[in-house]
Structures are given as structure tokens and as C-alpha cells.
Amino acid sequence: MSISEHTIIIISVVTPVYNGEPFIQQAYDSLRRQSFACWEWVVVDDGSTDGTLALLRQIAGSDPRVRCYTQPASGSAKQPRDHAVAEARGMFVLPLDIDDRLSDDYLEKMLIRQKNTEADIVYPHMVFVDMATGKTTEELPVAGFDASRVYGGRDLVKETMPEWRIGCNGGLYRPKVWVNRSWPVKEKPVWMNSDEVDERLYLLQARRVAFADAHYFYQNHAASISTRVSPKLFHTLKTSLELFSLIEDEFGKESEEYQRMLRKAFCDWRWKMATYVQHHDELAFADAQIHQNLAACFARLSASVLTPGERLQFLWLKSFPLLLALFCMKYKPRLLWQKIIARLWPQGYASLFVRRQVEKQFREQLERSYHADAAPLKPEDAVAVCMNCGNTESGGLVDRLRGAVSVFEVCQQAGRPFRLFFTHPFRLEDYLEPAAYDWRCAEPCVSFSAQHVERVVLQVVSGLEGKRHQQQMHSALRQNPDKQVHFYTNANFCYDDGDFAASFNTLFRPTPRLQGHLERIRHDIGTDDYISVSARFCNLLDDFNEEVYSEPLSIVEREKLLSGCMDQLGQLLKGVGNGQRVLLCSDSTTFLQRAQQTFPGAFYVIPGTVSHIGNDGVHSYEYYEKTFLDFFTIARASRVCLLLGPGMMRSGFPYAAARSQGKPFDILAFRV
């Protein structure tokens, strides 16, 4: 039988995408080649910073079957996928990852199988492909699995543990089985691999599940998040904890399903422990959270599922610290000593190990930018340049500005001309212009000759580096009088060993455009006598994804933290004088909304998009303007405060703003 293209059955193909521009045309072509053409493609862009959204809109403009949406970056595929499902109009939904493709008869075969079986879910034949070689690496369902049968969804849960014996990508679903949506409101934190839990929930909702002889090509490539070593790889440990609860509730602790779950969790934990130790240098910035995830999963494991040999090898799973030490001894003995130093002397560990690793990574990144064949350097170009041009990570606005001020002060002492080359992700001159000292640096004057440029990388990771940074800057300038010296630094000794306010105001003042907006905000506040309160949550409240690594709290923990914040704000408001106002700044829209709901009319919040320039995207002037508006409005406050609760970041943003104008700074610390 065949299914007419004019039938009322419609498949909504749903796709989340983040910076997927290179794969969009391939995915679209895969759909256009389908033998069944009655489909729609619903794509949700998760805050991409490349040309993804523009290309999607171009395709949607030429094909009415394609609809695209955009949302702020969520940091996972789940939320934009759920968003796409919410927008879907079809009788069935079919997820397609942007970097995968379908056989040309895929949709037709899936629909035929569904009609013949009346299944709630139809799964395809999954083929895993290495994009570099084109070779097939694995296929699902596994050999021996009877794909001709129709199963109950509950029965198939067994086939997902301890390893997946069936494939789920590209399944055809009745919308009614699509549960646990994270759009528009997230009911719980979303991890990178939340679909591991979701798929079991879909199966438990499905009365009938069938398999079709349609081929879904899952393509692995260097950019795949599943192939990169990053902190997100360890989210599977949190997924294991969720699965423990799910399987226990559905099948019981004594069930075969639960025992399989234990075995699966142990295998994943064992691999993650080895990965954590072997790649610790790359993961050091997220060490505490990864360590916590490993320990939490370990606490739920049971030696009952281990072989006798494994029980001996893994010490009957009795001591996590001892097992971690054994993993270190096996894979990286020096890490064991680092862990001991980190426990006994945290600042020394940060300075001796973390800083060196960070600076090493920066230098490796910079190798791409400098080359041997370059024109001779002009004498007038032998200057010191503080570099923020996108060829390596540069941190946030305050990191960059305090680094520039630190280099400027050393240049003043050494009698060396200072320049600031700030071009990424925007040109600093769009927001700030020179005040008394012209630091502008035309692009042709910046050399990237390895022969004529001395590169200096100095990064702050603890409070021990100030004097060392000063000395190394002086040394670099003294030893390279005829070279251009490039400083890649977030040095902060200008706070304590210099006159930060004087230097900052010698270098920077708002452009007329920015100043005009600042004056409008000043008018809206209605007084120069106001207090500023800042709070930086990173991603604790699961509403702001940025480069600083943090994992969202559980719903219960979020509420505790928000309640503690509201208590602190309430106490602050009791001390506010008549006519005095309070400016509230934060990276969390959840926090800002809660504060405005709890204390109506008590706070002034600057309108605009919350952003962090360390995310390095390509955006409009307005996208980044709020960062500068916040900074200079905080700087004008009569008192500057930082709200600091458990897990919240000790942000340097309000501190730098206060120091730039010599204003008092307080930390409102609390526990929950």
C-alpha cells in the first residue's frame, strides 16, 4: 500500500538547533527528498550566534512547510525541542536532529507501519555514521531483536537497560505520549541528556510500539556534544539519579528492571570516573560540580549487581574517596597530589595548577593567530596593546576593563604607549570613547607577526597573582622595547596597587549615544540618591546560560535560595530612607520577576536584554548596551551592594562599578 501525499495525515518534524548553520541545508534536503511530502518542519533556534536563524528564515520564506522560531539560549536540546512540539500542527511528531538525515522513503514507511499497527510510537532502524569516514559504527535495534512484533511500551523499557537495544531518534509519536514538556515553563532542571528519562516516560505512556524498516542516520562528527569532553558529559549522572527514582516507582526495587538500571548506572559511573581523571586538566574549572555529581551517583549504587571480580576491584562500592584515589593512581597519579593540595591549600592549588593550565590553553589558542611572514614593524607601532579580539577567551566586561586598566597603569610607569584593541564581540568604541587618554588602536597598526610581537598571557584565578602580574608586565615591556607587546589578561592589581578610579576615568567615558540613554534612566529613577543591589546566579535558576559553569538547582533548592534572597531584600528595604530608591540588577529574570512581585514598586530594573559578553555572539548594539547601562548606573549609586547566597557567584561587576567612582561597596551574604 502507499499513502497519498494529499491525505490529511501530517507529520510535524521537530528540530532544535544551536549554531547548526553548516547542517541546515542537508537536513532540509533530506526532507525535500521524501517520497511522502505532506509534512511540516518546525525548527526552534536556541539562541544561535552564527547565521543559523537567518538561513532558517530564508528557507521558511521559500517553503510554507517550514516554520522557524527563536528563543534565548537554554543550553540543552530538550527545551527548544519541546518548544517545537508545542508549535506542531500535525497528527504525529517526529524529532530530527539538525546534523542527522533520513532515508528518502523514511516518512512513508513510518506512516505505513503506524497505520498497520495503530502504534502510539513507531521507531526506525537507526544507523550510526562516522561523518569523517562515512563508515557505519553501530545499528539499532540490535541483531536478534524481533522488530516485526508490536510491543507494549512498558515491556520495551527493559530493552533500554543496561544498554539501548532499540533506537529512539526519529521516532514517530502520537502527541498524547509526549510528556514532561519543558516549554514554556520548566518544571524541573533540564540536563543535556534529559531525553534518557523522557524516552522511558514516552514508552510508559504508549500502549503499542512498533518498528519500521526506515533508516535514520545518526551522524557523529567533531562538533557533536556527545563526542566532546565537557562538564555536560557528566549530566548523565544526574539522569541516572532520576532514572533510579522512575524505575523504582514503576517497577519496584526488587524488579529486574531496577537491577538492570543499577548495572547501567554503574557502567556509566565507572566510565565517567575514568574520563574525569584522564581529562581533569580540561575540566578543572567545573571540578567541584563534577565531583559532587560523581559522589551523588555513587551513593545510589549497589555492589549486588557487580561480578566477584568487580566487587574486589571497586571495593564493594564502600568508599568514594578511596576509589577516586585508586582511579588517580591508575590514570593520572599527579592528580592525587593536586587533590591533596587543593584540600589543604585551595589558593595555592589555584595558583600552581589551575592558572598554569588556563594560561597554557590560552597560549595554544593564540597559536592560530600569529604567523611568521609579516611586514617589519614601524617604530611608532612598538606599543603595548591589551587584546580582546576574539582569538581567545576574554571573560566578561569587567574582566576586560580591569585588565586594560592594569596594563595602562604599568605602561604609565614604564613610559610606554598604551593601546586597547577591543573588537569582539563588538567594538568597544561603540559604547565607550577615550576620555583624557587616546587608547584607540586602528586595525592596520596591530601586528600578528610572531617575530615582531611578544605575547603575554596573565590570568587571575586566585588572590595571589597581583604582584606577579605587575612584575611580568614590567619585565615584558623592558625586555621588548622594539616589539609590539600583546597582553591577554584580566589582571586586577589596579584595584589595590593603583588608582583604579583615576585610571578608569582617564581612559573611558560613555559615547554620546550611551550617555543619552543613561540620562533617560537617571530621569526614570527620579533621584541621585539610590542604592544598587546586584545578584549573579549564572545558571542556578535555570534561566541564563553562560560560559561560567554552574548547574541548575532543583525546584526545592531554587525556592529556598529565592526565599533567602527575598528575606535579604526585605531587610534592606527597611533601612531605605525617604525618597531613596533601589536599583536591582541581575542575570536572572526569575529573580527580578520574583522581587518585583514580592515588593511591588520597590525596585527599579533597567529595561533590556540580560547578556554576558563572554558568550561571544554576534548581536545588535542594543543586545550589549544593557551591560554598559547597568555598569554606569550602578557606579552612580550612593551605595553599591552585592547579594551573595549559597552557590551564587561573587561577581566582580558591581565591585568594579563602585571602584570606578569611589563608591562604598557592601556584600549582603546569607545562608539558607
Side-chain angles (χ1 to χ4, degrees):
M1 79 172 264
S2 64
I3 293 182
S4 167
E5 294 180 0
H6 303 291
T7 182
I8 61 170
I9 296 177
I10 297 175
I11 297 176
S12 294
V13 180
V14 294
T15 300
V17 58
Y18 173 76
N19 286 355
E21 185 179 7
F23 306 104
I24 291 172
Q25 191 63 49
Q26 170 192 274
Y28 176 53
D29 290 343
S30 179
L31 290 173
R32 286 199 301 172
R33 289 193 299 266
Q34 292 298 306
S35 56
F36 176 79
C38 195
W39 50 262
E40 66 168 357
W41 192 26
V42 186
V43 193
V44 174
D45 171 58
D46 194 45
S48 295
T49 59
D50 62 358
T52 290
L53 186 58
L55 180 54
L56 286 173
R57 285 173 172 167
Q58 178 184 335
I59 292 173
S62 62
D63 190 338
R65 295 175 298 179
V66 180
R67 292 185 290 129
C68 65
Y69 300 85
T70 186
Q71 64 176 46
S74 69
S76 75
K78 174 175 169 52
Q79 194 182 16
R81 185 184 292 116
D82 283 357
H83 183 175
V85 171
E87 302 289 353
R89 300 169 180 166
M91 296 177 64
F92 300 95
V93 292
L94 188 149
L96 170 67
D97 286 351
I98 196 65
D99 49 359
D100 295 341
R101 59 187 177 85
L102 311 173
S103 59
D104 294 350
D105 56 0
Y106 190 89
L107 299 185
E108 183 172 10
K109 284 187 171 181
M110 296 290 277
L111 277 173
I112 290 173
R113 184 63 169 154
Q114 193 284 325
K115 187 167 185 178
N116 289 340
T117 61
E118 297 185 352
D120 296 315
I121 302 175
V122 178
Y123 286 133
H125 183 90
M126 275 186 66
V127 181
F128 294 81
V129 180
D130 184 338
M131 288 189 71
T133 64
K135 294 181 178 178
T136 298
T137 58
E138 185 184 357
E139 295 187 24
L140 292 174
V142 297
F145 181 84
D146 187 357
S148 65
R149 286 182 51 197
V150 176
Y151 293 83
R154 189 180 181 86
D155 296 331
L156 283 178
V157 173
K158 284 184 181 180
E159 304 299 331
T160 70
M161 297 179 296
E163 300 297 335
W164 283 83
R165 301 182 72 246
I166 58 175
C168 63
N169 285 56
L172 185 72
Y173 301 82
R174 291 187 192 271
K176 70 177 184 180
V177 304
W178 200 277
V179 295
N180 194 27
R181 284 191 192 169
S182 65
W183 180 264
V185 177
K186 299 181 188 180
E187 295 183 354
K188 61 180 181 178
V190 174
W191 313 116
M192 181 190 80
N193 65 328
S194 291
D195 52 358
E196 289 278 329
V197 177
D198 291 349
E199 200 63 39
R200 273 83 171 194
L201 290 170
Y202 302 154
L203 285 169
L204 291 171
Q205 290 287 318
R207 184 174 52 89
R208 298 168 66 83
V209 182
F211 294 82
D213 185 26
H215 287 75
Y216 183 99
F217 297 97
Y218 184 96
Q219 303 188 132
N220 289 306
H221 54 90
S224 296
I225 195 163
S226 57
T227 64
R228 302 197 307 269
V229 176
S230 78
K232 287 191 174 184
L233 281 179
F234 297 85
H235 288 180
T236 56
L237 300 164
K238 289 185 174 289
T239 299
S240 292
L241 295 177
E242 291 190 51
L243 285 175
F244 275 126
S245 299
L246 175 65
I247 301 302
E248 182 180 353
D249 291 344
E250 290 291 334
F251 299 96
K253 255 190 170 182
E254 305 304 319
S255 66
E256 180 185 352
E257 287 81 2
Y258 191 79
Q259 294 302 305
R260 286 174 177 244
M261 177 64 235
L262 279 173
R263 182 68 194 178
K264 176 180 174 63
F266 168 72
C267 293
D268 185 44
W269 175 86
R270 177 176 59 188
W271 177 61
K272 290 301 192 305
M273 282 285 284
T275 302
Y276 169 64
V277 172
Q278 291 172 307
H279 297 274
H280 188 266
D281 290 347
E282 303 161 60
L283 300 167
F285 67 98
D287 180 81
Q289 190 64 64
I290 294 173
H291 188 283
Q292 180 180 329
N293 288 344
L294 285 163
C297 183
F298 175 83
R300 295 290 297 271
L301 298 178
S302 170
S304 64
V305 296
L306 305 187
T307 65
E310 287 173 336
R311 293 187 186 192
L312 287 171
Q313 185 180 0
F314 294 95
L315 307 177
W316 278 265
L317 300 177
K318 293 295 185 183
S319 172
F320 178 80
L322 186 54
L323 276 174
L324 178 57
L326 292 177
F327 270 89
C328 290
M329 292 300 293
K330 180 177 180 179
Y331 295 109
K332 189 176 289 187
R334 67 179 174 86
L335 179 58
L336 183 58
W337 298 110
Q338 290 181 25
K339 287 284 187 183
I340 293 172
I341 293 173
R343 175 66 64 88
L344 300 177
W345 187 28
Q347 277 201 324
Y349 168 74
S351 185
L352 291 172
F353 296 103
V354 178
R355 174 187 57 78
R356 290 180 182 178
Q357 182 60 30
V358 169
E359 292 182 352
K360 177 185 176 183
Q361 291 174 353
F362 275 39
R363 292 189 187 96
E364 290 172 351
Q365 293 169 356
L366 293 176
E367 290 301 316
R368 303 188 299 264
S369 303
Y370 292 85
H371 43 80
D373 53 337
L377 192 69
K378 298 177 183 178
E380 61 269 24
D381 291 336
V383 297
V385 187
C386 189
M387 301 289 289
N388 294 287
C389 58
N391 54 352
T392 189
E393 293 94 340
S394 298
L397 179 64
V398 161
D399 296 314
R400 302 181 192 204
L401 294 183
R402 77 187 188 197
V405 172
S406 295
V407 176
F408 170 71
E409 291 190 346
V410 170
C411 287
Q412 291 291 94
Q413 296 164 11
R416 190 78 174 265
F418 165 79
R419 299 290 183 268
L420 174 56
F421 190 56
F422 193 137
T423 61
H424 185 81
F426 52 77
R427 291 174 55 83
L428 186 63
E429 292 98 308
D430 292 342
Y431 303 92
L432 301 180
E433 62 184 18
Y437 188 97
D438 193 352
W439 43 264
R440 290 173 296 186
C441 188
E443 193 159 345
C445 298
V446 177
S447 173
F448 284 92
S449 165
Q451 179 182 356
H452 300 298
V453 173
E454 178 69 15
R455 286 157 282 173
V456 182
V457 178
L458 301 170
Q459 291 296 307
V460 173
V461 296
S462 77
L464 302 178
E465 285 111 3
K467 290 294 183 183
R468 181 182 62 83
H469 283 176
Q470 278 184 296
Q471 293 168 0
Q472 289 186 253
M473 286 184 189
H474 277 290
S475 178
L477 294 175
R478 185 172 60 253
Q479 294 174 13
N480 300 280
D482 301 322
K483 287 186 176 183
Q484 198 168 94
V485 184
H486 290 184
F487 290 98
Y488 294 87
T489 183
N490 62 349
N492 62 0
F493 58 80
C494 56
Y495 288 154
D496 302 316
D497 296 328
D499 190 341
F500 180 74
S503 297
F504 182 91
N505 291 293
T506 296
L507 290 172
F508 307 116
R509 68 184 177 198
T511 61
R513 180 179 182 180
L514 182 64
Q515 184 61 42
H517 201 164
L518 286 168
E519 289 305 317
R520 289 196 294 274
I521 291 172
R522 189 176 189 175
H523 177 268
D524 290 343
I525 294 176
T527 177
D528 288 335
D529 184 17
Y530 61 89
I531 298 169
S532 80
V533 179
S534 300
R536 188 171 179 191
F537 296 85
C538 295
N539 199 35
L540 291 178
L541 302 183
D542 203 15
D543 61 356
F544 186 69
N545 188 54
E546 63 161 293
E547 93 293 349
V548 175
Y549 183 73
S550 66
E551 293 183 3
L553 299 172
S554 68
I555 298 296
V556 173
E557 291 170 324
R558 270 186 247 174
E559 285 303 313
K560 286 182 179 179
L561 183 58
L562 282 169
S563 295
C565 290
M566 295 307 109
D567 290 343
Q568 288 296 309
L569 292 178
Q571 293 179 30
L572 177 76
L573 290 173
K574 291 178 181 178
V576 172
N578 292 332
Q580 197 173 38
R581 296 203 64 184
V582 179
L583 168 72
L584 198 59
C585 299
S586 179
D587 58 356
S588 168
T589 53
T590 303
F591 165 76
L592 293 174
Q593 291 168 2
R594 176 68 66 86
Q596 290 172 306
Q597 292 168 358
T598 306
F599 306 102
F603 301 109
Y604 178 79
V605 176
I606 298 173
T609 303
V610 177
S611 66
H612 189 279
I613 69 173
N615 290 351
D616 288 350
V618 179
H619 301 278
S620 64
Y621 171 91
E622 288 76 14
Y623 181 83
Y624 292 112
E625 186 187 43
K626 186 177 183 328
T627 302
F628 291 89
L629 295 174
D630 284 353
F631 184 88
F632 283 98
T633 308
I634 291 171
R636 287 175 171 174
S638 55
R639 177 189 171 197
V640 178
C641 302
L642 172 66
L643 192 61
L644 189 62
M648 295 170 63
M649 187 173 182
R650 193 185 184 98
S651 173
F653 191 89
Y655 179 74
R659 293 297 298 268
S660 74
Q661 302 301 320
K663 299 296 179 63
F665 176 80
D666 298 311
I667 293 179
L668 307 178
F670 65 95
R671 296 180 179 180
V672 295

